[in-house]
């Protein structure tokens, strides 16, 4: 492993932001642009984070890591790996060069999410620059901290619209001794029941997904625990355990190779299959569902909302949305109720009064 | 004042029954303080609504009359978060005490905010499920109060804090709007307002419904007790257990003072001459627990534990925990008053900080007992004092402040789970600079522009910090001299 480069770019980034604030210049914040497909399309003066790099602090015995936003995710994961640890939320990369800041700003979590927590659950603190160019620190490097509002977890998934992330501290966890994946032939309905039944019992579950007539269950833990559980669960062992989950997490599974628009549905894990025509893949034990379909956005969103969930247009593909006027795009994120949208707007203004940070990327 | 009281209560009585609007002094007194009894204030009026619609109407009246509102769950806060205001309404959620729905398939429960923490696990037990965060006050504290404080507990090391164990909140805003935060699945659209509201100490909205996550009850749990001659050894054992790749379900430490008091009170069979004891619990699948418990025992012995004892059955396990859970009341019996601190520090600084605390205790001539969540570095020094002795309260507050500043010095925080309330406002001026505090105020204003929800708590005014002289003042000038100092 090459040593990770260290460079603190705070001063330059802050100057740029202060200047943009003074002149009301919208900024487009990015790292390696591996996830630029995600969110509403935006314009802005480029503000690149890839030179703000390095591990600020990592003490394996504390289970806490702090890294600068431009640091490569793969370098962070390799470092943790060498100490027998890992990120609990199993982040998707969507590209080799994925950075730490982009990962947090997008707030994606991988298959382990329902059992080990989301990205936001791991966040302990951030250092950031707000839309006025002020440098701020929230949270910290300790596991428990309730001093002040939890502004740091608020940054997870905010797509940089509330602040430019400089350093992010997270809690990390020990790597399990053993992982094993079991496969069973099932219908989607059977799979939903099965995944939720397992999750309700004492099983060291770390992932559960359904695709193409098969349910896949991953067990993680000590050797003793995984082997004891595997005996109780039926199913064929799938080898190597990691390959399917890697493909699912990175969307390199054949399911995802398509130009059809891809929707991400967040639902109660036990929700029955929704009657929207299209191809389905279920992750997170049923709580995150991928849907490939050409159906119109409002039909999808109405059905998901009626089931209590929300729908994100994850990848546009070749979407032709009859509902939208020429030149308009289908909103990527689920529309908010009026009072909720108003809180979003006020919060955005509280952090970024001139709307210079990734303007319109989340909501317009 | 009393005129104000009358007009307000008249408006409330239009939709609330007589016994839900309290205005007489003898009725108001039970609400004058929370668990931080050094601060007391009788509110203007107490209202005890029963429905969300009631709360919306109360909020609308308060907004129109510019009357501040302080919410109260069970009143067990130990930072003065639920301390009433002289000119304010105290809104009790005591009647919001119903579990609305238990969904065993999706492993969640929808509850009203006044439901007691422990009642949730009791109600879900028959499904083999439970609600993980277990503050020591769990028989009394409300789940709404837990959300407002982001409460933790003995099992939070492995299972997380309140913020990690809730899925959805319904809040009433100061505008009188009912908002749903979070989704029905594992996330909601937009900003993570669920996280922002958790631990916001009643300053951003009134929590009226909570969907909590339930976990399967572990197949087995086992606890090992270890006694040490030196606190330092116990601290090192804690660090190594975590470093070894084991995440115990609970990892708690008590010093000599606390151990003795707990033993006299509960008779848990704690050794009476140890400088510190550790309780380490492991849970999960049988095979895993038995392998890990012997691994832990080896680590404890390596760090010179003078005695280790694995609970041989559930009765003994419960007894060992009863001592820990009874440690607070036990210590409190030793002195007329106590003051409980709540700093968190990096684990590796445990021994250093505990030694420094005992030096401070001598310096201030006040006894301190330590009972705390060692696994997550969350200290709870209990300062024992006698409020009737002139100067002791003041001295204990000063000593408490010193301890919190010590936590900051080693890279920690002034509060791990009890919240800032009114108690730690001064230390907030040390932990955060002016810009950060201003950002907190801006967040507050996004929800509550007229500062009617629990005003004066949790985030100090810039003015207060300036007076304290603790602000990071550059060249004698405050940043942004044009911002109003309130
Ligand atoms: C003996 C003892 C042991 C304790 N042990 C622990 C522990 O292990 N871990 C821990 O975390 N805490 C502990 N505490 C502190 C306390 O129990 C927690 O902070 C608890 O979460 C408070 O709940 P409550 O219902 O009593 O809230 P209250 O004291 O009534 O209120 C606390 C705060 O929450 C606000 N609030 C309450 N309900 C609502 C609502 N519905 N909407 C909006 N705001 C609301 C109040 O305004 C106030 O700011 C302990 C306290 C005692 C006395």
């Amino acid at each position: 492993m090459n040593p990770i480069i260290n460079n603190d770019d705070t001063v330059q980034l802050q100057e740029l932001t202060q200047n943009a604030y003074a002149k009301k210049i919208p900024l487009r914040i990015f790292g390696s642009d591996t996830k630029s497909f995600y969110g509403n399309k935006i314009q802005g003066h480029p503000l690149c984070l890839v030179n703000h790099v390095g591990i600020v602090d990592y003490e394996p015995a504390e289970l806490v890591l702090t890294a600068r936003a431009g640091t490569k995710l793969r370098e962070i994961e390799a470092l943790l790996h060498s100490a027998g640890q890992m990120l609990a939320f199993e982040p998707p990369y969507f590209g080799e060069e994925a950075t730490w800041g982009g990962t947090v700003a997008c707030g994606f979590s991988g298959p382990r999410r329902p059992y080990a927590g989301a990205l936001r659950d791991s966040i302990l603190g951030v250092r950031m620059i707000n839309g006025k160019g002020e440098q701020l620190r929230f949270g910290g490097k300790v596991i428990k901290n309730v001093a002040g509002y939890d502004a740091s977890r608020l940054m997870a998934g905010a797509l940089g619209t509330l602040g430019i992330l400089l350093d992010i501290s997270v809690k990390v966890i020990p790597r399990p001794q053993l992982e094993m994946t079991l496969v069973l032939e099932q219908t989607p309905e059977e799979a939903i029941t099965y995944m939720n039944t397992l999750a309700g019992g004492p099983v060291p579950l770390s992932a559960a997904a359904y695709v193409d007539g098969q349910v896949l269950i991953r067990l993680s833990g000590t050797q003793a625990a995984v082997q004891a559980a595997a005996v109780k669960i039926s199913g064929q062992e799938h080898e190597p355990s990691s390959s399917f989950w890697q493909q699912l997490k990175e969307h390199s599974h054949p399911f995802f190779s398509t130009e059809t628009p891809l929707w991400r549905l967040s639902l109660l894990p036990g929700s029955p299959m929704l009657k929207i025509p299209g191809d389905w893949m279920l992750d997170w034990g049923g709580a995150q569902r991928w849907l490939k379909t050409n159906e119109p956005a409002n039909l999808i969103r109405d059905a998901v909302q009626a089931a209590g969930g929300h729908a994100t247009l994850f990848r546009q593909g070749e979407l032709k949305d009859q509902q939208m006027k020429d030149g308009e795009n289908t909103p990527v994120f689920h529309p908010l109720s009026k009072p909720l949208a108003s809180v979003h707007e006020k919060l955005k203004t509280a952090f970024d009064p001139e709307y210079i940070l990734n303007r319109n990327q989340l909501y317009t | 004042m009393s005129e104000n009281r009358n007009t307000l209560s008249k408006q409330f009585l239009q939709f609330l029954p007589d016994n839900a609007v309290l205005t007489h002094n003898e009725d108001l007194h039970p609400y004058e303080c929370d668990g931080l009894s050094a601060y007391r204030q009788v509110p203007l009026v107490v209202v005890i609504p029963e429905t969300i619609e009631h709360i919306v109407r109360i909020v609308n009246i308060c907004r129109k009359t510019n009357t501040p509102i302080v919410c109260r769950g069970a009143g067990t806060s130990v930072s003065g978060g639920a301390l009433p205001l002289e000119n304010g309404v105290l809104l009790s959620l005591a009647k919001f005490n119903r579990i609305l729905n238990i969904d065993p398939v999706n492993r969640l429960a929808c509850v009203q905010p006044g439901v007691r923490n422990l009642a949730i696990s009791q109600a879900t037990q028959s499904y083999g499920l439970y609600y993980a965060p277990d503050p020591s006050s769990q028989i009394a504290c409300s789940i709404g109060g837990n959300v407002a404080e982001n409460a933790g507990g003995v099992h939070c090391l492995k299972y997380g804090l309140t913020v990690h164990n809730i899925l959805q909140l319904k809040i009433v805003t100061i505008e009188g709007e009912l908002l749903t935060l979070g989704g029905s699945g594992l996330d909601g659209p937009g900003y993570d307002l669920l996280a922002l509201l958790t631990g916001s100490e009643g300053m951003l909205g009134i929590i009226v419904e909570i969907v909590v996550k339930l976990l399967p009850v572990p197949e087995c749990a086992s606890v090992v007790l270890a006694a040490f001659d030196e606190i330092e050894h116990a601290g090192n054992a804690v660090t190594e257990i975590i470093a070894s790749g084991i995440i115990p379900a609970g990892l708690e430490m008590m010093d000599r003072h606390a151990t003795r008091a707990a033993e006299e009170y509960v008779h848990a069979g704690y050794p009476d001459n140890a400088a510190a004891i550790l309780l380490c619990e492991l849970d999960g699948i049988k095979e895993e627990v038995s392998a890990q418990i012997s691994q832990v025992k080896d680590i404890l012995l390596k760090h010179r534990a003078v005695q280790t004892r694995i609970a041989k059955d559930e009765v003994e396990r419960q007894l060992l925990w009863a001592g820990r859970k009874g440690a607070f009341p036990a210590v409190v019996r030793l002195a007329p008053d106590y003051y409980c601190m709540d700093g968190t520090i990096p684990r590796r600084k445990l021994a250093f900080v505990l030694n420094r605390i005992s030096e401070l205790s001598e310096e201030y001539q006040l006894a301190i007992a330590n009972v705390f969540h060692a696994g997550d570095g969350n200290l709870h020094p209990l300062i024992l004092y006698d409020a009737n002795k002139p100067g002791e309260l003041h001295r204990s507050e000063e000593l408490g402040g010193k301890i919190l500043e010590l936590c900051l010095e080693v890279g920690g925080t002034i509060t791990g789970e009890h919240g800032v309330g009114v108690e730690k406002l001064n230390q907030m001026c040390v932990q955060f600079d002016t810009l950060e505090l201003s950002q907190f105020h801006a967040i507050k204003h996004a929800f509550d522009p007229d500062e009617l929800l629990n005003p004066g708590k949790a985030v100090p005014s810039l003015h207060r910090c300036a007076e304290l002289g603790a602000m990071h003042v550059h060249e004698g000038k405050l940043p942004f001299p044009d911002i109003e100092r309130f």
Side-chain angles (χ1 to χ4, degrees):
Chain A
M1 191 172 45
N2 294 324
I4 299 175
I5 303 164
N6 236 319
N7 183 49
D8 185 343
D9 215 14
T10 305
V11 175
Q12 288 87 324
L13 292 166
Q14 197 173 358
E15 270 172 18
L16 269 166
T17 319
Q18 283 168 346
N19 185 44
Y21 172 57
K23 298 186 183 144
K24 304 186 183 165
I25 302 168
L27 298 172
R28 186 179 85 83
I29 310 158
F30 67 104
S32 300
D33 255 345
T34 54
K35 290 175 265 294
S36 54
F37 65 87
Y38 184 69
N40 296 307
K41 296 281 156 290
I42 61 161
Q43 311 243 299
H45 185 81
L47 186 92
C48 183
L49 270 292
V50 290
N51 292 324
H52 184 66
V53 286
I55 304 293
V56 180
D57 203 358
Y58 176 45
E59 286 268 352
E62 291 292 329
L63 300 178
V64 175
L65 172 136
T66 305
R68 296 201 179 96
T71 316
K72 298 282 163 16
L73 183 56
R74 67 175 135 79
E75 292 177 332
I76 291 173
E77 290 212 301
L79 177 67
L80 291 171
H81 194 273
S82 67
Q85 298 183 338
M86 64 180 193
L87 298 167
F89 50 92
E90 209 176 0
Y93 284 62
F94 297 126
E96 269 279 285
E97 302 298 307
T99 62
W100 187 224
T103 301
V104 174
C106 286
F108 299 151
S109 305
R112 207 179 300 273
R113 190 269 172 255
Y115 318 99
L119 178 143
R120 69 86 117 135
D121 292 321
S122 289
I123 302 268
L124 299 176
V126 300
R127 197 162 63 87
M128 55 171 267
I129 299 171
N130 68 7
K132 292 198 266 184
E134 298 166 349
Q135 198 194 132
L136 309 167
R137 240 173 356 95
F138 297 113
K141 296 179 182 178
V142 287
I143 306 290
K144 283 165 101 178
N145 185 357
V146 293
Y149 301 121
D150 192 348
S152 45
R153 285 197 183 90
L154 183 64
M155 296 302 140
L159 286 176
T161 58
L162 299 178
I164 299 161
L165 298 172
L166 294 172
D167 314 340
I168 306 117
S169 302
V170 291
K171 182 183 165 180
V172 301
I173 60 171
R175 207 145 42 84
Q177 264 175 17
L178 181 66
E179 296 207 309
M180 186 189 284
T181 298
L182 300 170
V183 200
L184 252 96
E185 305 285 316
Q186 285 189 337
T187 66
E189 286 76 14
E190 286 168 344
I192 291 171
T193 308
Y194 186 63
M195 293 188 291
N196 283 289
T197 309
L198 284 183
V203 178
L205 210 57
S206 70
Y210 167 85
V211 68
D212 293 338
Q214 292 189 320
V215 65
L216 291 102
I217 302 293
R218 185 176 64 190
L219 305 171
S220 305
T222 57
Q223 199 125 5
V226 170
Q227 279 162 353
V231 173
K232 292 180 214 157
I233 298 173
S234 43
Q236 279 271 305
E237 197 176 334
H238 178 90
E239 280 182 300
S241 174
S242 60
S243 63
F244 170 77
W245 304 107
Q246 176 68 14
Q247 289 181 351
L248 167 57
K249 171 169 86 81
E250 297 302 335
H251 288 192
S252 57
H253 188 277
F255 175 89
F256 296 99
S257 59
T258 168
E259 286 307 312
T260 316
L262 177 71
W263 291 82
R264 172 189 182 268
L265 276 45
S266 171
L267 289 160
L268 270 176
S271 288
M273 291 297 288
L274 297 186
K275 294 195 172 43
I276 308 169
D279 294 327
W280 294 84
M281 179 168 199
L282 277 50
D283 191 9
W284 294 6
Q288 172 169 269
R289 302 186 187 183
W290 299 102
L291 169 64
K292 286 187 299 191
T293 185
N294 284 308
E295 295 298 319
N298 59 346
L299 181 139
I300 297 165
R301 291 206 153 116
D302 289 352
V304 175
Q305 197 162 329
H310 65 102
T312 308
L313 177 55
F314 201 82
R315 287 181 202 264
Q316 303 264 351
E318 289 171 346
L319 180 73
K320 288 181 198 64
D321 195 338
Q322 312 295 334
Q323 310 300 316
M324 306 305 291
K325 294 190 204 102
D326 275 352
E328 275 184 357
N329 293 319
T330 305
V332 167
F333 299 100
H334 205 94
L336 302 173
S337 70
K338 224 173 168 182
L340 199 54
S342 149
V343 172
H344 274 68
E345 209 176 298
K346 288 178 193 157
L347 211 49
K348 168 77 174 163
T349 311
F351 280 92
D352 178 21
E354 297 295 347
Y355 280 58
I356 59 167
L357 306 178
N358 285 353
R359 184 186 287 176
N360 298 342
Q361 181 152 31
L362 190 61
Y363 287 105
T364 47
Chain B
M1 173 69 72
S2 70
E3 198 183 312
N4 214 345
R5 178 174 286 168
N6 285 339
T7 37
L8 266 178
S9 61
K10 258 190 212 137
Q11 296 190 59
F12 294 141
L13 284 167
Q14 287 181 354
F15 57 94
L16 290 174
D18 284 359
N19 61 7
V21 182
L22 312 181
T23 51
H24 294 295
N25 253 330
E26 62 274 25
D27 295 332
L28 297 175
H29 269 292
Y31 296 91
E32 71 181 357
C33 67
D34 58 18
L36 184 68
S37 56
Y39 294 78
R40 289 169 196 268
Q41 173 62 54
V42 173
L44 191 61
V45 184
V46 173
V47 286
I48 316 173
E50 230 171 303
T51 65
I52 292 176
E53 178 57 29
H54 286 163
I55 292 183
V56 170
R57 293 180 76 168
I58 292 167
V59 164
N60 286 339
I61 291 168
C62 289
R63 190 183 63 251
K64 283 175 194 148
T65 55
N66 216 31
T67 311
I69 303 172
V70 177
C71 289
R72 180 183 174 103
T76 68
S77 159
V78 275
S79 55
L83 179 73
L85 294 168
E86 189 183 5
N87 61 339
V89 164
L90 186 96
L91 192 159
S92 160
L93 291 131
K95 286 189 191 157
F96 278 73
N97 58 0
R98 280 180 306 131
I99 295 179
L100 301 172
N101 174 35
I102 297 172
D103 179 346
V105 172
N106 291 301
R107 303 169 310 282
L108 54 85
C110 182
V111 302
Q112 292 188 321
V115 170
R116 288 175 309 113
N117 172 297
L118 186 61
I120 303 174
S121 292
Q122 285 167 341
T124 56
Q125 195 177 17
S126 58
Y127 301 100
L129 300 168
Y130 76 113
Y131 175 67
D134 56 343
S136 307
S137 51
Q138 71 180 150
I139 46 167
C141 63
S142 75
I143 184 72
N146 290 172
V147 175
E149 301 284 13
N150 192 13
V154 165
H155 288 95
C156 286
L157 176 57
K158 182 167 178 182
Y159 297 106
L161 308 162
T162 304
V163 70
H164 303 114
N165 288 279
I166 57 175
L167 296 165
Q168 197 176 71
L169 290 180
K170 284 202 171 80
I171 64 165
V172 171
T173 66
I174 194 66
E175 305 294 334
E177 303 268 15
L178 182 66
L179 293 186
T180 302
L181 313 180
S184 67
L186 293 174
D187 44 45
Y191 294 136
D192 199 335
L193 300 181
L194 187 66
L196 184 63
L197 259 285
T198 310
S200 65
E201 304 196 24
M203 309 260 298
L204 304 181
I206 301 174
I207 300 155
V208 296
E209 214 174 279
I210 302 137
V211 178
V212 300
K213 177 166 125 186
L214 302 173
L215 295 179
V217 177
E219 185 176 273
C220 108
S222 184
V223 66
V224 52
L225 167 108
F228 295 85
D229 278 344
E230 281 180 46
I231 281 209
E232 199 127 2
H233 299 161
N236 294 339
V238 167
T239 308
E240 185 163 339
I241 290 171
I242 303 289
S244 75
I246 295 173
I247 304 284
L251 185 51
E252 299 284 302
M253 199 196 287
M254 293 161 71
D255 70 0
R256 189 190 308 272
H257 227 82
T259 311
R260 280 202 181 146
E263 180 55 22
E264 271 171 36
Y265 189 57
V266 179
H267 308 295
Y270 293 164
D272 62 359
N273 53 357
I277 65 163
L278 276 182
L279 284 173
C280 178
E281 177 155 296
L282 295 154
D283 68 9
I285 289 191
K286 274 196 209 84
E287 291 81 352
E288 180 169 44
V289 171
S290 59
Q292 286 186 339
I293 202 106
S294 53
Q295 206 183 334
V296 166
K297 193 175 160 190
D298 290 346
I299 295 173
L300 293 167
L301 289 172
K302 181 178 146 198
H303 287 279
R304 298 193 236 165
V306 289
Q307 184 189 339
T308 59
R309 191 168 118 210
I310 299 173
K312 59 183 177 311
D313 53 25
E314 186 56 21
V315 177
E316 192 179 358
R317 185 177 83 87
Q318 293 293 350
L319 186 64
L320 289 179
W321 278 119
R324 162 65 185 87
K325 290 201 170 156
F328 274 70
V331 170
V332 172
R333 291 189 321 160
L334 303 178
D337 300 284
Y338 73 100
Y339 190 43
C340 175
M341 311 312 297
D342 176 42
T344 304
I345 55 166
R347 265 182 301 264
R348 63 180 182 278
K349 305 281 182 170
L350 267 179
F352 169 77
V353 169
L354 290 173
N355 284 331
R356 188 75 195 98
I357 287 177
S358 91
E359 285 167 23
L360 284 167
S361 158
E362 251 165 56
E363 196 178 309
Y364 279 80
Q365 286 294 298
L366 290 168
I368 297 179
N370 284 292
V371 195
F372 60 96
H373 313 301
D376 34 37
N378 187 194
L379 303 176
H380 285 325
L382 285 163
I383 304 170
L384 307 178
Y385 71 98
D386 181 352
N388 288 325
K389 289 195 187 148
E392 280 217 349
L393 170 63
H394 180 71
R395 245 179 34 240
S396 67
E397 283 185 326
E398 202 178 297
L399 169 57
K402 281 270 177 336
I403 292 175
L404 295 184
E405 283 160 31
L406 172 64
C407 293
L408 287 178
E409 235 174 77
V410 299
T413 177
I414 58 168
T415 174
E417 58 181 16
H418 290 169
V420 173
V422 290
E423 183 205 16
K424 301 177 201 83
L425 286 168
N426 287 347
Q427 283 74 34
M428 283 291 282
C429 305
V430 184
Q431 182 157 346
F432 295 99
D433 69 20
T434 316
L435 295 177
E436 291 153 354
L437 293 170
S438 300
Q439 187 67 70
F440 285 145
H441 287 296
I443 294 174
K444 165 82 170 159
H445 285 195
F447 284 83
D448 178 19
D450 298 324
E451 301 199 23
L452 292 174
L453 294 172
N454 217 4
K457 311 279 177 68
V459 183
S461 67
L462 300 183
H463 176 73
R464 180 189 184 112
C465 293
E467 287 205 331
L468 200 72
M471 284 228 299
H472 301 232
V473 181
H474 300 293
E475 297 160 338
K477 270 189 287 184
L478 287 170
F480 302 106
D482 49 343
I483 292 184
E484 208 177 68
R485 296 288 192 281
F486 26 82

